[in-house]
Amino acid sequence: MSAPDDRKPLTKLAQAGRKPEWTGMPGQPGAIVSAPVWRASTILYDDVAHLRKAAGSSTHERLFYGRKGTPTAWSLADALTEMESGAAGTMLYPSGVAAISCALMAVLKPGDTLLMVDSAYDPTRNFCEHMLKPYGIETIYYDPCDTARLALHLEDPAVRALFLESPGSLTFEVQDIPALCALAHEKGVVTLLDNTWATPLYFPALSHGIDISILACTKYIVGHSDVMMGSVTATADWFGKIRQTAYLFGQMVSPDDAWLASRGLRTLGVRLKQHQDSALAIAHWLKQQPDVARVLHPALPDCPGHDLWRRDFSGSTGLFSFVLDGGDEAARAALIDGLAHFGIGYSWGGFESLALPVDPARYRSATTWAAEGPAVRLHIGLEDTADLIADLDAGLARFRAAR
Ligand SMILES: *Cc1c(COP(=O)(O)O)cnc(C)c1O
């Protein structure tokens, strides 16, 4: 398929990763639509000369040994690369956390300092504490909303990498990504972003100054709560290092999982649009409820960094939090426990709605989290919003009775 470079993102989602050599057979006319599942460990060669040639090849997408992937995974990686203009390539990992930890290991060495956003996903913080620290890599946490303070941290010559997550996990602060990247690059500091919430569809990270963009594909790329996967997409300056580190750690994904993730990717556009519309309707409804003190959603004007979200993002997705006005742990549990249409569980990004009690104060060190009451994180799935609102309305009644 020869496609011009000015294709819009939705067109790319439909076309990306479908190279004829992955969807057809050599010398035969015709091709199937999507790359099939190629399961392999051993690759057989015609003779020793061909085996040696394959081992010496520097080509990335080439049958060599199962650990280096087959066309099923390459097709998915290629499609994710196409979604990020300015990307040189994408590596795949068995989870989002594996993608984050491998990306950090690729850019840091003992003696370096990492600047980590204080609103980062909790397991990202754990990796810094329990893996980087014992290897002599220091982590300094920074306020997602304080650019001036970050500039001061960047004066430290030991700082090698700046990690961003925007909006932040649980509390959804939006960072000034282009400004922070410009400051970092002035000092020769590499920038990494956990872009799981927006995906490249609503925030193409590399064209906003990010060097290395990370996704927990487990969430919206897969979209059906049935596969764990992560990805790292990088510029030409960094992709070689990212790929080498992934190979050194033996990171790979199963072809069946890659195939499911590719299938999910094709419908990312329509799914995100619906997640966005439904989540906004519910966020606005929650904002009007007297028992709700605050709704933490980047598309609402009072969310920290809302203006940055409007400037930089082309959409919002289905994940946000709200803070109850007073009440305790038991009252919050009364709200959540009786919900009929929301599952209680970790992860998000599937077609189904979820509700989770969250306590952001526990995962902060550079900033403090003070709130009017306990908080709940919602993932708004693809159900009818009228059902979801009625369910939350009954939940708030239980909260009132229990507080
Ligand atoms: C879930 C999540 C991850 C980790 O992904 P897993 O596939 O569960 O390992 C990373 N970052 C964010 C923001 C997440 O929500």
Side-chain angles (χ1 to χ4, degrees):
M1 188 171 301
S2 71
D5 280 333
D6 59 358
R7 287 171 303 157
K8 299 274 190 284
L10 292 179
T11 307
K12 287 186 186 172
L13 276 179
Q15 297 175 346
R18 290 167 49 200
K19 287 190 186 169
E21 61 268 39
W22 299 338
T23 53
M25 290 171 70
Q28 284 194 27
I32 55 177
V33 173
S34 299
V37 177
W38 296 54
R39 301 191 61 83
S41 56
T42 295
I43 310 296
L44 299 173
Y45 298 95
D46 291 348
D47 51 33
V48 171
H50 279 96
L51 178 133
R52 295 238 190 278
K53 196 172 161 216
S57 167
S58 60
T59 312
H60 168 44
E61 289 160 352
R62 188 188 182 98
L63 287 176
F64 174 65
Y65 176 49
R67 199 174 58 233
K68 298 233 171 138
T70 66
T72 319
W74 304 337
S75 167
L76 172 62
D78 205 52
L80 291 170
T81 302
E82 278 199 54
M83 293 308 296
E84 282 278 2
S85 57
T90 297
M91 294 306 288
L92 301 173
Y93 305 79
S95 70
V97 164
I100 292 166
S101 51
C102 261
L104 287 170
M105 292 306 269
V107 301
L108 294 164
K109 60 180 189 319
D112 288 348
T113 294
L114 165 68
L115 298 180
M116 174 60 65
V117 65
D118 206 33
S119 48
Y121 181 60
D122 177 37
T124 305
R125 297 180 69 107
N126 284 340
F127 184 77
C128 298
E129 188 59 24
H130 300 292
M131 185 59 73
L132 296 183
K133 197 171 167 184
Y135 277 91
I137 298 164
E138 196 200 341
T139 300
I140 295 175
Y141 292 90
Y142 68 92
D143 183 338
C145 304
D146 190 344
T147 306
R149 188 71 195 268
L150 184 94
L152 287 180
H153 286 313
L154 283 165
E155 294 297 327
D156 179 348
V159 170
R160 193 73 54 221
L162 172 67
F163 194 104
L164 306 89
E165 185 182 325
S166 182
S169 272
L170 310 185
T171 44
F172 300 91
E173 298 90 339
V174 181
Q175 299 189 256
D176 192 344
I177 296 174
L180 297 183
C181 288
L183 285 171
H185 289 152
E186 257 172 46
K187 302 286 178 190
V189 167
V190 57
T191 55
L192 305 92
L193 171 73
D194 183 333
N195 197 27
T196 302
W197 183 86
T199 83
L201 198 58
Y202 287 169
F203 186 77
L206 270 46
S207 44
H208 285 84
I210 293 291
D211 298 306
I212 297 170
S213 177
I214 305 165
L215 297 177
C217 299
T218 309
K219 314 292 166 56
Y220 283 132
I221 305 303
V222 166
H224 295 73
S225 303
D226 48 10
V227 174
M228 301 292 301
M229 194 176 295
S231 69
V232 177
T233 300
T235 60
D237 282 350
W238 291 98
F239 182 62
K241 193 79 186 156
I242 292 292
R243 183 172 64 197
Q244 181 196 37
T245 308
Y247 284 164
L248 288 172
F249 278 99
Q251 295 288 22
M252 49 116 20
V253 300
S254 101
D256 301 87
D257 288 351
W259 183 83
L260 280 166
S262 290
R263 168 169 278 208
L265 186 67
R266 300 295 175 203
T267 58
L268 182 69
V270 282
R271 284 187 291 108
L272 283 194
K273 192 168 183 301
Q274 189 60 52
H275 285 297
Q276 163 167 255
D277 291 351
S278 299
L280 277 171
I282 290 170
H284 284 297
W285 177 82
L286 278 169
K287 213 170 151 44
Q288 288 158 10
Q289 306 310 306
D291 301 301
V292 174
R294 270 191 282 161
V295 178
L296 310 171
H297 187 307
L300 297 191
D302 52 353
C303 187
H306 166 73
D307 291 341
L308 301 170
W309 173 80
R310 282 185 60 144
R311 186 191 68 189
D312 295 341
F313 290 64
S314 58
S316 59
T317 60
L319 190 77
F320 66 96
S321 296
F322 65 94
V323 177
L324 290 156
D325 193 10
D328 57 9
E329 175 77 42
R332 173 173 65 180
L335 189 169
I336 295 173
D337 284 346
L339 292 171
H341 300 309
F342 289 80
I344 305 170
Y346 293 106
S347 199
W348 50 277
F351 52 81
E352 82 290 10
S353 289
L354 297 168
L356 192 71
V358 293
D359 302 295
R362 284 165 42 191
Y363 313 111
R364 299 256 166 165
S365 52
T367 56
T368 51
W369 169 255
E372 300 81 347
V376 178
R377 191 187 75 180
L378 296 179
H379 178 254
I380 303 304
L382 304 179
E383 304 89 345
D384 194 305
T385 48
D387 284 338
L388 298 179
I389 286 176
D391 205 14
L392 290 169
D393 199 23
L396 287 169
R398 284 190 301 276
F399 169 78
R400 265 194 305 282
R403 62 181 294 185

